[in-house]
């Protein structure tokens, strides 16, 4: 069963704008991760936030986690055409092993 | 840098053939995973392994088997390929019990005709 659900399914913005993507999940998690996938390629890990953290930054990426609402958001600031990709959230459940459960992904298009 | 390689980028097989997909990682990771990715369904876990000769079923193991004879290599086997196994197959690895961050290979796009 799908643990993470991303929203929106697709997002189109102008270069320079900020992109916000959301992820909701259903059960208690150990951590939540965001991955990027360029067309037809493997996934690349972007950022991980643990269940006891509320916000993390990495370059132009900002991730927040609200465990009371079981939701996370990924913000990409000052987007570039090269940010065009699919983005996935993935959760590691509390007490689970190393298994990740992925959402269905968000397609981000950044227009030059 | 961690490198995960997959034996083929594109593969075309006929229905009923036995298919081997190979994955090799060079970072001495204990965990290895096989996923399939289909439009609208995201990534679904087929099998994973925590150690040599060890395997566990994921969410959709039917029609697949795996082999892990060496720590760096994890093989996915389609015993008798069917058209509904046409998909993108992704291999990943991760260190044991750390951040659980996974490192992915480039994927194999398998078409079964």
């Amino acid at each position: 069963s799908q643990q993470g659900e991303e929203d929106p399914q697709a997002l189109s913005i102008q270069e320079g704008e900020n992109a916000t993507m959301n992820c909701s999940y259903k059960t208690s998690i150990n951590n939540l991760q965001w991955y990027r996938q360029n067309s037809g390629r493997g996934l690349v890990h972007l950022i991980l936030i643990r269940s006891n953290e509320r916000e993390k930054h990495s370059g132009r990426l900002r991730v927040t986690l609200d465990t009371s609402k079981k939701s996370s958001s990924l913000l990409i600031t000052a987007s570039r055409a090269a940010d065009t990709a699919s983005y996935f959230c993935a959760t590691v459940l509390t007490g689970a092993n190393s298994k990740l459960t992925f959402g269905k992904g968000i397609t981000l298009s950044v227009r030059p | 840098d961690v490198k995960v390689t997959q034996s083929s980028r594109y593969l075309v097989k006929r229905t009923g053939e036995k298919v081997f997909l190979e994955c090799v990682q060079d970072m001495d990771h204990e965990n290895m995973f096989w996923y399939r990715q289909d439009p609208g369904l995201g990534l679904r876990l087929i099998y994973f392994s925590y150690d040599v000769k060890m395997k566990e079923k994921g969410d959709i193991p039917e029609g697949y088997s795996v082999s892990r004879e060496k720590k760096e290599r994890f093989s996915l086997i389609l015993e008798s390929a069917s058209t509904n196994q046409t998909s993108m197959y992704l291999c990943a690895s991760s260190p044991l019990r750390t951040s659980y961050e996974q490192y992915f290979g480039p994927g194999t796009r398998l078409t079964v005709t």
Side-chain angles (χ1 to χ4, degrees), chain A residues 28-55:
Chain A
S28 180
I29 61 170
N30 178 293
N31 68 68
L32 185 145
Q33 304 177 29
W34 286 90
Y35 287 79
R36 184 187 75 229
Q37 183 181 36
N38 291 92
S39 180
R41 310 295 295 187
L43 278 71
V44 174
H45 181 264
L46 293 176
I47 195 164
L48 179 153
I49 187 165
R50 302 185 190 283
S51 59
N52 60 354
E53 296 175 314
R54 292 298 166 256
E55 187 172 315

Side-chain angles (χ1 to χ4, degrees), chain B residues 30-43:
Chain B
E30 287 79 7
N31 302 329
M32 295 188 76
F33 306 84
W34 274 108
Y35 297 89
R36 65 176 283 175
Q37 182 179 21
D38 301 287
L41 296 178
L43 275 76

Side-chain angles (χ1 to χ4, degrees), chain B residues 11-30:
Chain B
L11 207 53
V12 179
K13 295 292 182 181
R14 293 194 182 277
T15 301
E17 278 192 84
K18 191 169 186 176
V19 181
F20 293 87
L21 302 182
E22 305 283 341
C23 175
V24 177
Q25 50 94 4
D26 66 358
M27 281 301 291
D28 202 36
H29 285 170
E30 287 79 7

Side-chain angles (χ1 to χ4, degrees), chain B:
Chain B
D1 278 352
V2 175
K3 193 165 184 184
V4 180
T5 57
Q6 296 182 228
S7 50
S8 306
R9 287 299 317 280
Y10 300 94
L11 207 53
V12 179
K13 295 292 182 181
R14 293 194 182 277
T15 301
E17 278 192 84
K18 191 169 186 176
V19 181
F20 293 87
L21 302 182
E22 305 283 341
C23 175
V24 177
Q25 50 94 4
D26 66 358
M27 281 301 291
D28 202 36
H29 285 170
E30 287 79 7
N31 302 329
M32 295 188 76
F33 306 84
W34 274 108
Y35 297 89
R36 65 176 283 175
Q37 182 179 21
D38 301 287
L41 296 178
L43 275 76
R44 294 179 291 167
L45 182 63
I46 304 171
Y47 267 98
F48 58 105
S49 169
Y50 294 132
D51 202 353
V52 175
K53 297 192 185 297
M54 178 273 174
K55 61 184 179 184
E56 286 196 30
K57 293 180 179 179
D59 300 319
I60 51 164
E62 297 78 19
Y64 302 94
S65 63
V66 290
S67 172
R68 193 159 180 207
E69 297 295 320
K70 292 185 178 181
K71 190 175 185 179
E72 68 270 19
R73 187 180 298 269
F74 191 34
S75 303
L76 180 69
I77 303 156
L78 287 65
E79 295 289 343
S80 178
S82 64
T83 55
N84 63 12
Q85 291 178 312
T86 291
S87 187
M88 169 73 99
Y89 290 88
L90 293 163
C91 175
S93 72
S94 73
L96 183 66
R97 300 193 187 284
T98 57
S99 65
Y100 309 112
E101 170 187 341
Q102 291 186 14
Y103 298 84
F104 281 81
T108 296
R109 187 165 294 281
L110 172 67
T111 302
V112 183
T113 62

Side-chain angles (χ1 to χ4, degrees), chain A:
Chain A
S1 63
Q2 219 75 26
Q3 161 75 337
E5 295 287 343
E6 296 98 341
D7 170 65
Q9 288 187 324
L11 183 61
S12 180
I13 59 174
Q14 200 74 35
E15 201 166 29
E17 293 180 340
N18 296 341
T20 300
M21 292 169 270
N22 303 301
C23 172
S24 60
Y25 57 92
K26 297 174 183 171
T27 58
S28 180
I29 61 170
N30 178 293
N31 68 68
L32 185 145
Q33 304 177 29
W34 286 90
Y35 287 79
R36 184 187 75 229
Q37 183 181 36
N38 291 92
S39 180
R41 310 295 295 187
L43 278 71
V44 174
H45 181 264
L46 293 176
I47 195 164
L48 179 153
I49 187 165
R50 302 185 190 283
S51 59
N52 60 354
E53 296 175 314
R54 292 298 166 256
E55 187 172 315
K56 279 189 84 168
H57 297 256
S58 176
R60 292 184 297 114
L61 305 180
R62 173 179 168 250
V63 172
T64 60
L65 180 65
D66 186 335
T67 52
S68 66
K69 295 181 179 178
K70 292 187 169 57
S71 68
S72 172
S73 67
L74 172 67
L75 170 68
I76 303 176
T77 60
S79 63
R80 305 166 182 168
D83 294 327
T84 294
S86 294
Y87 292 81
F88 295 84
C89 72
T91 53
V92 176
L93 303 185
T94 300
N97 41 41
S98 306
K99 282 175 55 178
L100 288 175
T101 304
F102 285 85
K104 296 179 182 179
I106 297 171
T107 301
L108 173 66
S109 298
V110 181
R111 303 185 301 274

